[in-house]
Amino acid sequence: MASHRPPDVDPNGKPWRLGELLPRALVYLAGCVVFSTGAHFFIQSDLGTDPLDVFSLGVLKHLPLTIGLCQAAVAVVCIGAWAAWNRKRPVVSPFVTFFLCGSLIDLFQWLRPAAWLGLSSYPLMLLGALLCSYASALIIMSGFGIRAIDLLAITIRHRWTWPFWCAKGLIEGVLLLCGWLLGGPVGIGTVAFLVFVDLLIEPFVRFNRRFLDIPDHGFAVALAVP
């Protein structure tokens, strides 16, 4: 049975050495910074939220929780499904990304770099979507801290040989539908995020691999186990 390997070890199941880990860490950190910048632009465009936030805000209309708790719960479900499907222990690195990106978004919301660009809402929204998709590609290629939804989508990609955009779109489409039914806000930005980010991640991975010579530790490696 084919199973996608845990992203925090090499193909032989051993921890990565420092010389191998440092370039991946730089790619990962760059991805987190770019993703948080894109998310800030997206928020400042005020044209709608991403599917995960639609779901979280919909839940908040019915339960006394927070957005952070709702998103963490979705992450736990995705990681649990990934672990059960691949018969692996749950990984904790996606929660590092969750905390780091959330903290950076808070910082950018305070600094307001979007205001420096002087862009109107629609160009700002599109720029934010492009940055989020490119950053997601970087995080996936680092093989560390892959966001929980992306981690599960990669497993669907390997198991069912679906395109990544289709696997990720399925998960986020379910979140979007549930959030909308619960009363979450849906706007043109929500659709743009779902279309642009999901469709562009895999092409950006190929671009980085071919033209920037960045190794792919996320999509490329599947570990065969008995």
Side-chain angles (χ1 to χ4, degrees):
M1 180 183 296
S3 176
H4 185 59
R5 67 177 175 82
D8 305 316
V9 299
D10 70 12
N12 297 315
K14 298 178 181 179
W16 290 88
R17 293 188 293 271
L18 180 60
E20 298 166 327
L21 190 61
L22 183 58
R24 295 174 62 210
L26 293 176
V27 172
Y28 168 75
L29 290 174
C32 288
V33 172
V34 174
F35 184 89
S36 302
T37 304
H40 163 67
F41 289 170
F42 207 84
I43 292 169
Q44 290 300 306
S45 73
D46 199 27
L47 291 173
T49 60
D50 64 276
L52 180 56
D53 282 337
V54 171
F55 174 77
S56 300
L57 292 170
V59 170
L60 294 188
K61 290 182 176 290
H62 305 275
L63 295 175
L65 300 175
T66 65
I67 291 177
L69 285 175
C70 291
Q71 293 188 355
V74 172
V76 167
V77 171
C78 289
I79 292 170
W82 174 88
W85 204 347
N86 291 289
R87 299 181 180 179
K88 303 291 183 183
R89 290 178 298 177
V91 289
V92 299
S93 56
F95 288 99
V96 176
T97 306
F98 181 84
F99 175 78
L100 178 57
C101 288
S103 300
L104 287 172
I105 291 170
D106 286 337
L107 176 63
F108 291 145
Q109 286 292 94
W110 178 67
L111 293 174
R112 298 295 177 96
W116 308 342
L117 300 177
L119 297 176
S120 60
S121 293
Y122 284 93
L124 194 61
M125 175 197 69
L126 292 175
L127 178 59
L130 287 172
L131 290 177
C132 285
S133 58
Y134 185 73
S136 295
L138 290 176
I139 293 172
I140 288 171
M141 295 183 78
S142 77
F144 176 80
I146 298 174
R147 299 172 75 235
I149 291 175
D150 293 346
L151 192 64
L152 182 56
I154 291 171
T155 291
I156 294 174
R157 178 181 182 268
H158 280 288
R159 293 281 188 165
W160 296 346
T161 64
W162 284 14
F164 177 75
W165 66 266
C166 190
K168 183 174 169 66
L170 172 65
I171 299 168
E172 293 188 334
V174 170
L175 291 173
L176 175 58
L177 178 61
C178 292
W180 176 69
L181 292 174
L182 290 170
V186 177
I188 185 64
T190 307
V191 178
F193 190 96
L194 190 62
V195 172
F196 280 95
V197 175
D198 290 357
L199 282 176
L200 290 177
I201 289 176
E202 204 162 8
F204 276 140
V205 169
R206 290 196 294 268
F207 173 86
N208 287 336
R209 196 169 56 220
R210 180 174 179 180
F211 295 104
L212 301 182
D213 200 27
I214 300 176
D216 177 12
H217 298 290
F219 281 149
V221 182
L223 179 65
V225 298

